[in-house]
Amino acid sequence: MNGKAQPGEWLDLLEEIATEGQLIQASFSAPRRKDDDTPRKLTVRPIKLKTGLFYQFERHQNNKVFHENVSPEKVKEQLQSTMERYKQALFKTPDADVQVLANKKGQLSLITHAKESKREAVPQQHNRNKAYVLPDGEPVPFLISLGVMTAEGRVVKAKYDKFRQINRFLEMVSDVIPDLPRGKELTVVDFGCGKSYLTFALYHLLAIKERLPVRIIGLDLKQDVISTCSKLALELGWDNLSFSVGDIAQFEGHTSVDMVVTLHACDTATDAALLKAIGWEASVILSVPCCQHELFRQLSQPLLKPLLKHGILKERFSALVTDAIRANLLELAGYRTQLLEFIDLEHTPKNILIRAVKGHKTDNDQLKHEYEQFRDFMGVSPFMENKTK
């Protein structure tokens, strides 16, 4: 099956996959057209759902991940239509890896790389057990001290939601570790650190697991909380983790910070933290906003009156508008920005995390125009924008 595909070979491969379940994984790359919305990469894998075998098509688009589960009866047609949009694909089967290439005329070539030992096409369980960054069953000193784990490493039942939240946060941090600078001591500031579960987790990940030179500063307004956290850091022997009482807007003493974290900072305190991060040109920003009142008081677009006349809808809508504005202003400041689903924090049901990485290149004129149109349509004057004028 090498060289130009003979008539039927491509369809034979699809038939083998569809009727005999001979697919381990397929990946499509290099879209044939650059001017449409085809994702740069698309992967397919068999999964086992409660209703039986399906094939999950996963595409990454606009910083989001989309899944579509296709039945074995329809997968052949779906794979064929998908290949019509890409220049190349790789199909992994138990016997071989088959590379499919499309030339400018759309003709397909199949190149087969046979495997010495047969592999098994085993569908993955869709609801398989979660592989955590900090696994249940392995003692972690700071989690034991915080009462999340027992001395044997088992998660305390009443603290399992907190354990999941910590791991979700660490997953999001792990994704951006490659974006942090190297060859220097990293400085991280956690604004509004509170009881500091996530601050301790962040230090554990960066300093203990990744062995990076790092200094983390936790800042909060509550003296008793800061005292407790400082005592625990001392007991753990974590000399490069410190805590201070202070207000975000008044925080001074640093000219360069590599990562800024702000979790459940209320209302415009989140904006103040983001502005600090932009001013420092921080490489990574992680923010979970809390209550957002600023734009709730400003929204007055007449066309949205059917929505805005209901207080609960206006509250939720204003929170979304606020985070959209923050994301766009971060992009205008040169950040690649994502809004990700988080796990509800202890003090707030807000579950959106803003993750921004420095170095994003975009058409600022177009982005600025789109942002200004959106802002003016909503009739708002955002804190972040006003403070930068």
Side-chain angles (χ1 to χ4, degrees), residues 167-181:
N167 272 288
R168 176 63 175 148
F169 176 68
L170 293 184
E171 288 174 7
M172 293 176 167
V173 176
S174 296
D175 290 342
V176 294
I177 287 177
D179 296 291
L180 292 170

Side-chain angles (χ1 to χ4, degrees), residues 356-374:
V357 175
K358 185 68 175 174
H360 179 54
K361 293 182 179 180
T362 186
D363 182 351
N364 263 31
D365 290 337
Q366 176 65 22
L367 184 62
K368 184 178 180 182
H369 176 67
E370 292 173 355
Y371 164 73
E372 289 176 345
Q373 281 190 315
F374 176 73

Side-chain angles (χ1 to χ4, degrees), residues 9 17 27 32 81 90 96 159 162 180 224 326 328 365:
E9 282 186 339
I17 289 169
S27 57
R32 298 192 193 188
S81 63
L90 179 66
K159 292 288 187 179
K162 175 62 66 176
L180 292 170
D224 57 336
R326 287 165 174 160
N328 277 270
D365 290 337

Side-chain angles (χ1 to χ4, degrees), residues 184-197:
K184 56 171 285 190
E185 182 182 72
L186 300 173
T187 300
V188 179
V189 176
D190 184 354
F191 286 122
C193 60
K195 294 180 181 178
S196 300
Y197 288 92

Side-chain angles (χ1 to χ4, degrees), residues 255-382:
T255 57
S256 175
V257 172
D258 301 294
M259 178 189 289
V260 170
V261 178
T262 169
L263 307 176
H264 61 257
C266 290
D267 202 17
T268 56
T270 291
D271 301 288
L274 295 178
L275 288 173
K276 286 280 188 182
I278 293 171
W280 285 321
E281 297 188 345
S283 298
V284 173
I285 303 170
L286 299 165
S287 174
V288 178
C290 183
C291 51
Q292 300 168 334
H293 304 303
E294 182 202 13
L295 299 193
F296 181 87
R297 296 185 290 266
Q298 296 183 27
L299 284 172
S300 59
Q301 169 54 247
L303 294 177
L304 295 177
K305 187 175 180 180
L307 183 152
L308 300 179
K309 69 181 180 181
H310 301 287
I312 188 171
L313 295 182
K314 184 178 180 181
E315 180 183 359
R316 294 179 183 179
F317 183 71
S318 62
L320 294 174
V321 172
T322 302
D323 287 337
I325 284 173
R326 287 165 174 160
N328 277 270
L329 289 174
L330 283 167
E331 288 179 352
L332 284 169
Y335 285 84
R336 183 177 73 253
T337 306
Q338 297 171 287
L339 271 66
L340 305 170
E341 187 175 17
F342 193 44
I343 295 174
D344 295 354
L345 291 166
E346 182 178 355
H347 305 293
T348 171
K350 305 299 182 184
N351 65 342
I352 290 178
L353 181 141
I354 302 172
R355 185 171 70 185
V357 175
K358 185 68 175 174
H360 179 54
K361 293 182 179 180
T362 186
D363 182 351
N364 263 31
D365 290 337
Q366 176 65 22
L367 184 62
K368 184 178 180 182
H369 176 67
E370 292 173 355
Y371 164 73
E372 289 176 345
Q373 281 190 315
F374 176 73
R375 176 204 62 198
D376 295 344
F377 174 75
M378 292 299 170
V380 295
S381 179

